Amino acid sequence: MQAVIARSIEAFSREEWNRLFPGDLEDWSFYRAIEAAALPDFELLYLAVRENGELCAAVPAFISDYRLDTTLTGPLRRVTGAISRLFPRLLRQRLLCLGSPVGEICHLGFAPDCSEAAQARLLERLFFELEQYAAQRRIAMIATKDASAGQDLLWSSVGAARGLRRQPSLPIALLDIRFDSLDGYLATLSPATRKDLRRKMKASAELRVEWRSNVDDIIDDVMRLYRATLAHAALSFEELTADFFRAVLRELGPRASCATYWLGDRLVAFNLVLHDGTLLLDKFLGMDYAVARRYNLYYVTWLHNVRYCIEHGLQTYQAGQGLHREKLRLGCRLSPNWLWYRHRSRVADAVFARFERWFQLDRDDPQLATLMNAPPRGATITAWCGFLACAALSQIAFKYAGLQTGPFEGSAHWFALATTSPWLWVSVASHIGEFALWMTILSKSALSSAFATTALLFVVIMLASWLLFAEPLTWNKLVGSGVILAGILMLGADEPRNAGHGSA
C-alpha cells in the first residue's frame, strides 16, 4: 500500500480519478479548474492510496489560515471581529483540511470493488498521512469540511477513532423534479408560496435570460455581481477569482453553463451551474442588489433553474448551501453535511471541546438543529415500532388481567387478586417502556406529526383483538383503518415541505 500526497490533480489521470467518483459533476476537470483559479489564501493538495499501482482511495485537501469565528453570527461575531482587528493572529489557526474550499461535499472516493471494511482501512491510512503531514508542516488543526450524510457512518467510525469531533455544517438543498411543468411545480407548494411566486414572476417580466458557455467578454460585470453577493453573505469561507469562472466553463465544457440575466443591456444577475443528464448543480449566484428586490432576482433565477430541469428531463435540482429555510419553503429537502476537526495540541483541543457549542451553526437555528440532531431513519422506525409494540402489549395485558380478575368490585379482596396477576405487571412494564419511547420520539419529531401518527395504535389493537380474542373484524373497522393509514401517509408527504440556490 502506497500513500500519495500530490500538489496537483494532474498527478492522477482523469480516468483513474473519475473511476473513484462515478457520475460526480465535481470531477477531475472541476479540480483542475480550481487549480487554474489560483484562489488566494489556499494551498491545494490531494491525498490518495495506491495498491499494486492502482488508485483505490483519494480525497482533495487544502491548507489555509482558518478564522475560528467563521461560523459565528450576530453580536458574538462583532465582538470577535473587534478582537481580530486588534490582534490579527489571535483567532487564526493554520488548518489542514480534507475537502475542497469550493466543493459541495468532501469528495472521498474509493475503487468500485472496495468493501466497507476496506474503505474504513483506507480512510484510516488517509487520516494517518494527514496527521503526519500536518506534523511535518507544523499545522495546528486538522479537519474534514462538509463530510456528507451518505458517508456519515464511515466518517463517524474512523473520524471519532482518530480523536476528531463532529460539528454541523451547512446542509445541501435538493429539489426532486417530479413534475412536468412549472405550474406542476408550483402546485406542490403551499397556496401562500404559490401566490407569492406567481406575483414575483409577473414583476420580473422585463428581464431577459441568456445561457452562456463563455463569460470572457462580461467577466468584469460577473465579478462585480459576485463581490456584491459575497458582501451580503452571512457566512463566507473562500473568495473566488475571475479565473475560476473562466476555468470552470472551459474545463467542464458542455457540463457547465452560466445563465445571465439582463435588464436591457445591463447584467443584473448570473448563475454558474453544472449539469449532466440527471442533475443540475447550482454553484454560484451573483446579483445586483440595487435592483434585486424590485425584480425578485433570487426567485427568478430559482424558477428558471427549475424550468431548465423540467425541459431537459433532469431528476434533481441541487441548490447548494445557505438560505436553507427559504429553500424548504420552495419545496426542497435537506441533506446534512458535517465538519470533523481537532487541534493537534491536547490542551488547545480540550479548550475547543469546552467552548465549541458557541460556534455551532445550529446554535440559533431550530430547523437546522432538528435536521442535524435527527436520528437515522432506521432508528426512528425502530423507536416507532417499539412504541406501538409496548402500547399494544400494555392494552392486551390489561385485557388478560381483566379476564383473570373478573368485573371490578372495589373491594380489598379484588385489589389483592389484581396485584397477583402477572398480566397486570406486564402491562405496567409496557406502559413504562411506552412512555420512554414516546419521550424519545417527541425529542426528535414535530408534535403535530408524532401525535397524529399514534392513531396507528387503533389499527394495531384492532388486529390484535381479532387474532387473540376473536373479536369481529367488520368492514367499517377496515375502512376506518384505511382512512387512518391514508391520513398518516398524507401527513408524512407534507412534512419535508413545511419543515427545512447555489452558494452566494
Side-chain angles (χ1 to χ4, degrees):
M1 185 184 294
Q2 176 193 6
V4 179
I5 299 181
R7 294 182 176 274
S8 172
I9 192 68
E10 293 188 0
F12 314 94
S13 73
R14 186 192 305 267
E15 291 73 20
E16 67 175 353
W17 181 274
N18 289 347
R19 177 173 173 266
L20 272 56
F21 304 93
D24 202 324
L25 279 168
E26 294 182 331
D27 61 359
W28 188 93
S29 298
F30 180 75
Y31 283 104
R32 186 176 176 181
I34 297 175
E35 289 182 24
L39 301 180
D41 305 321
F42 290 96
E43 178 184 342
L44 303 179
L45 297 170
Y46 305 87
L47 277 68
V49 178
R50 292 185 182 276
E51 287 186 327
N52 301 318
E54 181 179 306
L55 189 66
C56 52
V59 61
F62 62 89
I63 300 173
S64 181
D65 279 345
Y66 179 71
R67 276 194 59 159
L68 298 177
D69 60 347
T70 295
T71 57
L72 286 180
T73 57
L76 282 176
R77 182 58 184 263
R78 290 192 288 273
V79 171
T80 57
I83 294 172
S84 184
R85 286 190 292 272
L86 292 173
F87 307 99
R89 293 297 308 175
L90 183 62
L91 294 177
R92 289 187 177 272
Q93 295 282 302
R94 200 68 175 155
L95 170 72
L96 173 55
C97 186
L98 298 181
S100 167
V102 292
E104 292 293 296
I105 60 171
C106 177
H107 291 98
L108 172 65
F110 300 98
D113 56 350
C114 258
S115 65
E116 292 183 3
Q119 290 181 13
R121 176 172 54 87
L122 290 167
L123 182 55
E124 279 276 3
R125 180 61 185 271
L126 291 171
F127 266 125
F128 174 79
E129 296 299 327
L130 184 80
E131 292 164 353
Q132 293 297 305
Y133 193 77
Q136 293 171 17
R137 296 281 300 268
R138 297 189 177 185
I139 295 172
M141 295 180 66
I142 60 172
T144 297
K145 174 183 175 287
D146 292 332
S148 70
Q151 293 179 310
D152 191 41
L153 289 177
L154 181 61
W155 287 114
S156 296
S157 61
V158 179
R162 306 299 301 192
L164 280 76
R165 292 183 301 281
R166 191 169 77 165
Q167 284 265 25
S169 186
L170 288 174
I172 290 174
L174 299 160
L175 180 66
D176 298 316
I177 307 300
R178 56 187 189 280
F179 19 79
D180 56 10
S181 68
L182 197 58
D183 284 339
Y185 162 63
L186 294 175
T188 66
L189 307 176
S190 69
T193 301
R194 183 163 60 247
K195 181 179 179 181
D196 180 47
L197 289 180
R198 290 192 187 281
R199 178 180 57 80
K200 286 178 165 58
M201 289 168 63
K202 291 179 182 178
S204 56
E206 299 176 44
L207 295 175
R208 172 173 58 88
V209 183
E210 178 184 329
W211 284 82
R212 286 171 162 252
S213 59
N214 185 300
V215 293
D216 289 354
D217 59 323
I218 58 169
I219 193 62
D220 290 341
D221 282 331
V222 166
M223 293 308 295
R224 169 179 58 84
L225 299 178
Y226 167 72
R227 293 190 184 103
T229 304
L230 185 65
H232 280 77
L235 298 171
S236 61
F237 182 59
E238 79 291 338
E239 183 171 352
L240 303 178
T241 63
D243 284 336
F244 173 82
F245 295 99
R246 293 191 187 103
V248 168
L249 292 168
R250 180 181 67 249
E251 295 291 342
L252 274 77
R255 295 183 296 125
S257 302
C258 188
T260 56
Y261 297 80
W262 303 81
L263 192 57
D265 294 329
R266 178 184 174 190
L267 182 67
V268 295
F270 79 89
N271 195 189
L272 179 69
V273 300
L274 311 182
H275 44 74
D276 56 17
T278 60
L279 173 71
L280 179 73
L281 198 168
D282 193 337
K283 285 303 298 179
F284 293 99
L285 171 68
M287 296 187 294
D288 185 337
Y289 280 80
V291 296
R293 185 178 295 274
R294 177 181 175 187
Y295 291 100
N296 306 298
L297 293 180
Y298 179 85
Y299 298 96
V300 170
T301 58
W302 178 277
L303 291 170
H304 198 75
N305 286 343
V306 173
R307 182 184 286 113
Y308 181 96
C309 290
I310 294 169
E311 292 176 350
H312 291 81
L314 307 187
Q315 300 170 10
T316 306
Y317 172 25
Q318 183 171 323
Q321 298 174 323
L323 298 177
H324 51 275
R325 286 186 291 275
E326 185 61 18
K327 291 170 183 175
L328 283 171
R329 187 175 79 97
L330 294 172
C332 287
R333 56 185 171 88
L334 300 181
S335 178
N337 281 333
W338 301 96
L339 169 70
W340 289 87
Y341 83 100
R342 74 171 174 85
H343 200 285
R344 292 184 52 248
S345 163
R346 291 187 178 182
V347 174
D349 196 51
V351 174
F352 281 23
R354 178 67 179 82
F355 292 100
E356 68 179 9
R357 68 181 182 276
W358 294 94
F359 296 82
Q360 291 187 184
L361 283 172
D362 61 348
R363 180 171 175 264
D364 298 313
D365 189 332
Q367 282 185 317
L368 187 57
T370 298
L371 172 72
M372 293 304 190
N373 294 321
R377 183 171 177 81
T380 304
I381 293 173
T382 299
W384 270 111
C385 290
F387 169 78
L388 292 172
C390 286
L393 180 59
S394 174
Q395 298 302 317
I396 292 168
F398 259 133
K399 175 75 172 181
Y400 277 122
L403 292 174
Q404 281 186 344
T405 59
F408 177 72
E409 296 179 359
S411 65
H413 172 74
W414 187 92
F415 279 106
L417 181 62
T419 57
T420 62
S421 170
W423 287 110
L424 177 64
W425 298 110
V426 169
S427 180
V428 170
S430 300
H431 262 305
I432 294 172
E434 175 190 350
F435 176 79
L437 288 166
W438 180 238
M439 291 297 100
T440 300
I441 290 167
L442 284 184
S443 69
K444 304 298 183 183
S445 305
L447 177 61
S448 57
S449 299
F451 187 77
T453 307
T454 60
L456 278 173
L457 183 59
F458 290 102
V459 180
V460 174
I461 293 295
M462 182 188 70
L463 293 174
S465 300
W466 173 60
L467 290 170
L468 299 175
F469 305 109
E471 295 182 3
L473 194 61
T474 60
W475 280 108
N476 60 330
K477 290 181 180 179
L478 292 173
V479 171
S481 298
V483 171
I484 289 173
L485 293 173
I488 291 171
L489 290 174
M490 292 174 65
L491 182 67
D494 283 341
E495 188 65 21
R497 222 176 283 139
N498 299 326
H501 183 1
S503 302

